[in-house]
Amino acid sequence: MSTVADNINVGQKPEGLEGTGFFATRLEQVVGLARKNSIWPLPFATSCCGIEFMATMGAHYDLARFGSERLSFSPRQADLLMVMGTIAKKMGPVLKQVYEQMAEPRWVLSVGACASSGGIFDTYSVLQGIDRIIPVDVYVPGCPPRPEQIIDGVMKIQALVESESLRRRDSKEYKAMLNTYGIE
Ligand code: SF4
């Protein structure tokens, strides 16, 4: 009979050299492991997808299990911007300012059809996807996406965070990509 202890997954250590009393690995892998398990999300919720996020944070789905318990409503202390809901064009500059106030490294999760593409609101007033104003790392489909899908999106972000090179943010390609959004 399996016990609770049998079902607990412990985080895997990175690849490295191991012997009695020592373990050596690459700095990038250790930093990636620490970052992956201590993401501080900033919820930017404007409409119904935000309600799904509330369920995701509740006791049943419990996003805190993924090291994301501490939500930040200050961009300066957050590293994952979660955009959830319809973004009107008027709201665009506000969203961009929030993104710019976050320090590197920062990641963006676009939750739901509206944030990702404007959704059903193909109108003059709605932004047809937040990637028109800020770069997006992972898109979560659905209208609305269920909490499981939001958790899946966070796990995809975690996989990205874990494998990201420490030098990526200093690369010419990354800076050129930000420049296409008018961000220095
Ligand atoms: S994707 Fe659907 S559920 Fe989410 S904000 Fe848009 S209309 Fe609401």
Side-chain angles (χ1 to χ4, degrees):
M1 196 173 83
S2 71
T3 64
V4 174
D6 294 336
N7 295 325
I8 294 175
N9 288 324
V10 177
Q12 297 299 309
K13 64 177 187 269
E15 283 177 21
L17 280 177
E18 193 170 4
T20 312
F22 82 92
F23 175 69
T25 186
R26 291 190 359 247
L27 177 66
E28 274 190 345
Q29 289 184 321
V30 177
V31 172
L33 189 68
R35 281 180 176 168
K36 171 193 163 190
N37 293 299
S38 59
I39 290 175
W40 283 8
L42 189 165
F44 193 99
T46 58
S47 48
C48 12
C49 276
I51 310 297
E52 295 296 321
F53 178 68
M54 292 178 202
T56 311
M57 289 306 297
H60 188 76
Y61 292 99
D62 192 14
L63 190 67
R65 290 175 294 147
F66 298 84
S68 300
E69 181 142 37
R70 195 275 186 192
L71 298 183
S72 175
F73 293 94
S74 159
R76 294 172 191 85
Q77 277 84 43
D79 47 19
L80 172 63
L81 178 58
M82 297 178 75
V83 185
M84 301 166 283
T86 323
I87 304 296
K89 283 182 183 159
K90 271 190 173 179
M91 186 65 84
V94 177
L95 177 62
K96 186 163 181 174
Q97 186 177 18
V98 168
Y99 177 79
E100 286 177 329
Q101 286 178 338
M102 292 168 69
E104 294 282 9
R106 55 194 161 177
W107 295 271
V108 177
L109 181 64
S110 176
V111 177
C114 282
S116 302
S117 67
I120 56 170
F121 304 108
D122 188 7
T123 66
Y124 70 94
S125 59
V126 171
L127 191 65
Q128 299 299 293
I130 59 166
D131 55 6
R132 299 194 175 199
I133 54 170
I134 54 172
V136 172
D137 294 284
V138 172
Y139 298 85
V140 175
C143 174
R146 288 185 49 84
E148 290 95 333
Q149 287 171 269
I150 299 179
I151 289 174
D152 185 56
V154 171
M155 289 172 75
K156 286 197 163 64
I157 290 278
Q158 283 186 315
L160 204 66
V161 170
E162 186 178 28
S163 61
E164 185 177 305
S165 152
L166 287 181
R167 292 179 191 82
R168 176 181 167 232
R169 309 274 162 170
D170 300 324
S171 69
K172 278 190 296 194
E173 292 78 9
Y174 186 73
K175 286 179 180 154
M177 187 275 292
L178 283 186
N179 284 339
T180 62
Y181 286 95
I183 299 169
E184 297 268 308

